[in-house]
Amino acid sequence: MSRFLDWNGHGWIALGLRLYLGVVFLLACWHKILHPASFALDVATYQILPLELVNLQALVLPWVELFVALMLVLGLRTRAAVLLVNAMMVMFMVALAIALARGLDMGCGCFASEGGDDPITWRTLVRDGTWLAMGLYVQWLDRRPLGLDRLLTRRTS
Amino acid sequence: MRGLTLVRDAGIVVAISTVAAFSVNALRHDGIPIVAKEPYRILVPCPEPGGDVIPLAPADVRWGDAADLVIDARPVAEAGSWSAPGAQNVPFDYLDPVSDDKLSDLLSTRCDRVVVYGDGDRPDSGEELAREISGHGVRNVHFVPGGVAAVRTHLGAQVTP
């Protein structure tokens, strides 16, 4: 088990996954930041959050996605970034599962708003689950992330 | 300790994101209030409990036989001017589904299948009502394609002004 954890290949696989997740989150945040009102409507459509928290979520979440995406791509505070990615993926999956269980016929709001993207299905949930699995891989197996983190560690040591 | 550092870093990212989000929102002309003042008008279609229905030609309907419960899905006024023999009028309304009680009353007869006909338009009120009834768990629900026009042609009924 220890040999598996110490395998050097994890860093390279994790680098690929990090870059992929970083691009996914960059694509996801773009429309939300440009059109906060549309995204707020998407958040409200899930009918999960109380009205008082809808706009707060719609405003802050895309910026968290943006910073996290940049951190993943640059390899800066990678483990904190991927912790946030995993937390967001769990949050998205819970919201999707509730909407699907209620039988709501609506767009995901993940990459575009106002139903402009594909309607939510169980496949959307599987897709998010796959991204969560990627995030967990990076979280657990990328011990010394390639990127700015490693450069900064070298300089200080 | 390492876990705490991780959570602290994540918290810092969220805090910076919040400050950035609020600042940009305050500066932009199409910014939104941090707390929504009015509920959003969300348009999420309700799941329709539609079930499977089977088309049935007028010639295959057992008109006047209690084994076939024939339902006319048109509005009361239209059904009042002409209706197939033995048909019961249950007007179809998208916004006012048939209640369970009403359905129980209808199905208390000794019928072995339900046949619905409607206006024959697109969508056909007969087919829609048939789906609604089937969605309540009723089996053997049929509709007559072409609606009342097809029924009248088959039965050779005369229009009553």
Side-chain angles (χ1 to χ4, degrees):
Chain A
M1 185 65 183
S2 145
R3 280 180 66 185
F4 173 73
L5 293 175
D6 293 337
W7 181 53
N8 286 334
H10 288 312
W12 293 102
I13 295 172
L15 177 64
L17 295 178
R18 263 173 42 207
L19 292 175
Y20 173 77
L21 287 173
V23 171
V24 165
F25 272 81
L26 276 176
L27 292 173
C29 74
W30 191 247
H31 189 276
K32 299 171 190 170
I33 288 176
L34 288 180
H35 306 285
S38 295
F39 182 51
L41 182 59
D42 285 333
V43 173
T45 306
Y46 277 90
Q47 303 174 50
I48 294 172
L49 286 178
L51 181 65
E52 293 76 19
L53 295 180
V54 168
N55 283 9
L56 186 67
Q57 163 105 344
L59 283 171
V60 175
L61 184 76
W63 285 89
V64 176
E65 289 180 339
L66 175 64
F67 282 113
V68 159
L70 293 175
M71 291 163 72
L72 285 177
V73 171
L74 296 173
L76 177 66
R77 292 283 190 257
T78 311
R79 294 173 68 78
V82 85
L83 177 68
L84 284 170
V85 164
N86 293 337
M88 283 190 282
M89 291 320 304
V90 170
M91 186 175 74
F92 297 155
M93 289 175 70
V94 169
L96 277 170
I98 290 173
L100 286 169
R102 286 176 177 169
L104 298 182
D105 180 13
M106 55 181 282
C108 169
C110 309
F111 293 94
S113 291
E114 294 177 352
D117 58 353
D118 292 334
I120 56 169
T121 63
W122 292 103
R123 275 195 295 185
T124 320
L125 201 61
V126 172
R127 181 200 66 188
D128 282 9
T130 307
W131 289 341
L132 175 62
M134 290 179 181
L136 291 173
Y137 181 93
V138 177
Q139 185 88 57
W140 282 328
L141 297 173
D142 193 13
R143 298 300 176 88
R144 296 184 62 230
L146 295 163
L148 288 177
D149 279 342
R150 189 178 283 198
L151 282 176
L152 293 172
T153 313
R154 274 186 190 165
R155 280 196 177 175
T156 49
S157 62
Chain B
M1 190 64 190
R2 202 172 166 187
L4 279 178
T5 311
L6 213 58
V7 173
R8 182 204 64 193
D9 288 350
I12 290 171
V13 174
V14 173
I16 292 172
S17 303
T18 306
V19 172
F22 286 1
S23 306
V24 171
N25 186 60
L27 290 173
R28 62 194 300 170
H29 66 91
D30 60 344
I32 59 174
I34 293 170
V35 177
K37 296 184 176 83
E38 291 178 10
Y40 282 93
R41 292 181 180 180
I42 48 176
L43 290 171
V44 178
C46 295
E48 294 174 14
D52 294 329
V53 290
I54 309 154
L56 192 67
D60 296 329
V61 180
R62 293 168 290 190
W63 302 102
D65 188 333
D68 275 3
L69 171 63
V70 179
I71 295 176
D72 185 336
R74 295 176 300 150
V76 176
E78 290 177 33
S81 66
W82 184 88
S83 219
Q88 301 211 32
N89 181 218
V90 181
F92 173 70
D93 189 336
Y94 278 105
L95 301 177
D96 187 16
V98 182
S99 68
D100 288 334
D101 290 341
K102 171 86 175 168
L103 202 61
S104 298
D105 287 347
L106 282 170
L107 300 174
S108 61
T109 58
R110 298 172 64 87
C111 65
D112 55 29
R113 65 181 182 183
V114 178
V115 181
V116 189
Y117 70 87
D119 51 22
D121 289 342
R122 299 180 69 180
D124 175 19
S125 60
E127 184 177 352
E128 296 298 311
L129 182 62
R131 287 190 187 286
E132 189 185 323
I133 293 170
S134 174
H136 278 80
V138 180
R139 290 182 183 179
N140 253 346
V141 182
H142 302 254
F143 73 98
V144 180
V148 66
V151 173
R152 286 177 66 173
T153 303
H154 174 71
L155 294 177
Q158 299 297 313
V159 181
T160 308

